[in-house]
Amino acid sequence: MAVPYEGRHFCRVFAARVLAAHGVPLPAVAKPERATDWERVPKPEPLAVVVFHTGAAPDHVGVCIGRGRFLHVEESSRSRIEFLSSPLWSSRIEGYYRYKGEK
């Protein structure tokens, strides 16, 4: 069942819930490079966070689920799975980040 959008920055709340279900804490930081226990990785992998530029700064996140797909929710929409290679998202990718702490 798709989760409805619940307000500003809900993409982060949604991603945190998805990751928490797998024992992974999502840090509450505006800039991914400031997150302790997380590292930038060169390619998507399951449970990595993908950060997108939809404005002037990185402002949208999703959770990589494998096979080139990610799960996210955005304004005026419900949660959904999309391809990282889609024209809408591929040019907006800021980077991929993986939790390196203990699970």
Side-chain angles (χ1 to χ4, degrees):
M1 184 162 132
V3 174
Y5 184 78
E6 295 180 13
R8 188 168 183 204
H9 301 298
F10 184 65
C11 64
R12 292 176 189 264
V13 172
F14 179 70
R17 289 178 187 168
V18 170
L19 292 170
H22 296 279
V24 177
L26 182 66
V29 296
K31 295 184 178 185
E33 64 273 11
R34 292 186 180 165
T36 58
D37 292 331
W38 283 76
E39 64 186 345
R40 188 178 181 114
V41 292
K43 60 184 181 174
E45 54 189 62
L47 298 180
V49 172
V50 57
V51 178
F52 297 96
H53 285 277
T54 61
D59 59 355
H60 186 64
V61 299
V63 178
C64 296
I65 60 171
R67 303 170 86 183
R69 300 169 302 156
F70 71 103
L71 176 63
H72 74 123
V73 63
E74 62 182 325
E75 189 173 356
S76 303
S77 185
R78 293 173 107 39
S79 62
R80 63 183 177 275
I81 295 171
E82 294 196 63
F83 284 96
L84 292 161
S85 61
S86 77
L88 176 64
W89 296 108
S90 63
S91 64
R92 297 176 174 186
I93 295 172
E94 184 277 334
Y96 305 102
Y97 297 85
R98 177 183 66 203
Y99 182 65
K100 63 181 180 177
E102 294 294 321
K103 288 190 236 179

